[in-house]
Amino acid sequence: MTGLIPLKKPGLKVPKFNPGAVPAHVAIVMDGNGRWANARGLTRVEGHKAGEAALLDVVAGAIEAGVKNLTVYAFSTENWKRSPDEIKFLMGFNREVLRNRRDQLHAWGVRVRWAGRKPRLWLSVIDELRAAEKLTSKNKVLTLTMCVNYGSRVEIVDAVNEMAADVTSKKLKPGSITEKTLQKYLNTSYLPDVDLFLRTSGEQRVSNFLLWQSAYAEFVFVDTLWPDFDRTSLWDAISKYQARSRRFGAAVDQPKGKSSK
């Protein structure tokens, strides 16, 4: 376990963000642990260990910036394709991080939540996720959703199957199903839509992460490998987000040479 991460770092000032334009929901694909480690002659396992400190620092930075929801991709439904040794490490690592860090997150006012499927996931990991959820259930500073054994397509399929069952039992009328209806059946139904979707390591794909929720997200891809990412990196991404024009399908007619008033 790495040392404690301070909520505020002496001498480090948060940029003056427009309070009304801070993303309410930031989603992060924490990518690059393996490459970070291999470049240093280390195993992928060491890269995952280094990524723990990055996560805690980013959580702290999100709190300082005023972000209310932070969702991170900790283990996908596709990650089961990795080597047995790496899977074994990741299961144990996720369990230990939750156990060792939940008190610190609780002290910061962070509410921890879990999004993902139970099948195949270690019971000990589920127990730690549930324990963290219970301990932090009343916190309101920031909601940190840990996506463990999560896949967005599966999440949507599970929601559709649950709706179909409710239609069969006449709890739900087929003609009444709307986008809001499906949203309520999602594993992440408590979350607002993603405002800022961030991926580290230079890769530019979503990798089956929060597909429904990211319909109108602003995407920021950075070359930084996850263990080197920190709160200042997050703040840079938020600055890029605030410079974007979010129209949600609308448009402004402004012919060249004419200013809008």
Side-chain angles (χ1 to χ4, degrees), residues 39-183:
R40 290 162 174 75
L42 304 172
T43 63
R44 294 175 59 83
V45 164
E46 295 303 316
H48 294 308
K49 290 179 180 179
E52 177 189 350
L55 174 58
L56 267 291
D57 200 61
V58 166
V59 170
I63 292 172
E64 289 184 286
V67 174
K68 301 303 294 183
N69 297 277
L70 179 65
T71 305
V72 297
Y73 215 2
F75 190 89
S76 76
T77 49
E78 288 72 39
N79 286 156
W80 295 105
K81 299 174 185 177
R82 297 187 178 186
S83 71
D85 285 343
E86 186 172 0
I87 290 172
K88 182 178 180 180
F89 169 79
L90 286 170
M91 288 295 102
F93 183 65
N94 276 299
R95 178 187 61 207
E96 294 307 311
V97 168
L98 288 160
R99 181 180 298 164
N100 294 330
R101 295 299 190 177
R102 66 187 178 209
D103 287 339
Q104 183 175 8
L105 292 169
H106 182 45
W108 288 354
V110 174
R111 182 178 185 181
V112 178
R113 301 199 68 166
W114 167 44
R117 304 186 93 205
K118 289 183 179 180
R120 301 185 71 180
L121 193 57
W122 286 14
L123 182 59
S124 59
V125 176
I126 294 175
D127 288 344
E128 292 300 334
L129 285 163
R130 294 306 189 200
E133 284 186 318
K134 183 177 180 180
L135 174 68
T136 64
S137 62
K138 296 182 180 180
N139 292 340
K140 297 180 180 180
V141 174
L142 170 79
T143 295
L144 172 65
T145 299
M146 302 289 294
C147 290
V148 184
N149 199 26
Y150 173 89
S152 191
R153 286 184 172 182
V154 170
E155 179 187 26
I156 294 170
V157 169
D158 286 346
V160 170
N161 280 323
E162 191 176 347
M163 282 194 298
D166 283 349
V167 167
T168 300
S169 63
K170 297 183 179 181
K171 294 179 181 178
L172 186 66
K173 294 181 180 180
S176 67
I177 296 173
T178 64
E179 290 183 16
K180 289 184 178 180
T181 307
L182 195 148
Q183 169 73 21

Side-chain angles (χ1 to χ4, degrees), residues 148-225:
V148 184
N149 199 26
Y150 173 89
S152 191
R153 286 184 172 182
V154 170
E155 179 187 26
I156 294 170
V157 169
D158 286 346
V160 170
N161 280 323
E162 191 176 347
M163 282 194 298
D166 283 349
V167 167
T168 300
S169 63
K170 297 183 179 181
K171 294 179 181 178
L172 186 66
K173 294 181 180 180
S176 67
I177 296 173
T178 64
E179 290 183 16
K180 289 184 178 180
T181 307
L182 195 148
Q183 169 73 21
K184 292 177 181 178
Y185 282 83
L186 293 175
N187 191 211
T188 52
S189 60
Y190 57 90
L191 286 171
D193 284 348
V194 175
D195 294 308
L196 172 59
F197 187 110
L198 175 65
R199 182 170 187 148
T200 60
S201 88
E203 302 292 350
Q204 299 187 21
R205 55 181 180 271
V206 297
S207 296
N208 196 23
F209 185 46
L210 300 176
L211 302 177
W212 177 275
Q213 301 85 342
S214 301
Y216 276 99
E218 295 296 325
F219 289 79
V220 174
F221 300 104
V222 297
D223 292 331
T224 309
L225 300 175

Side-chain angles (χ1 to χ4, degrees), residues 233-255:
S233 307
L234 173 66
W235 296 341
D236 286 343
I238 293 175
S239 295
K240 291 178 181 177
Y241 166 85
Q242 292 200 328
R244 305 274 179 90
S245 176
R246 305 188 76 200
R247 296 185 295 276
F248 299 97
V252 177
D253 188 18
Q254 189 174 341

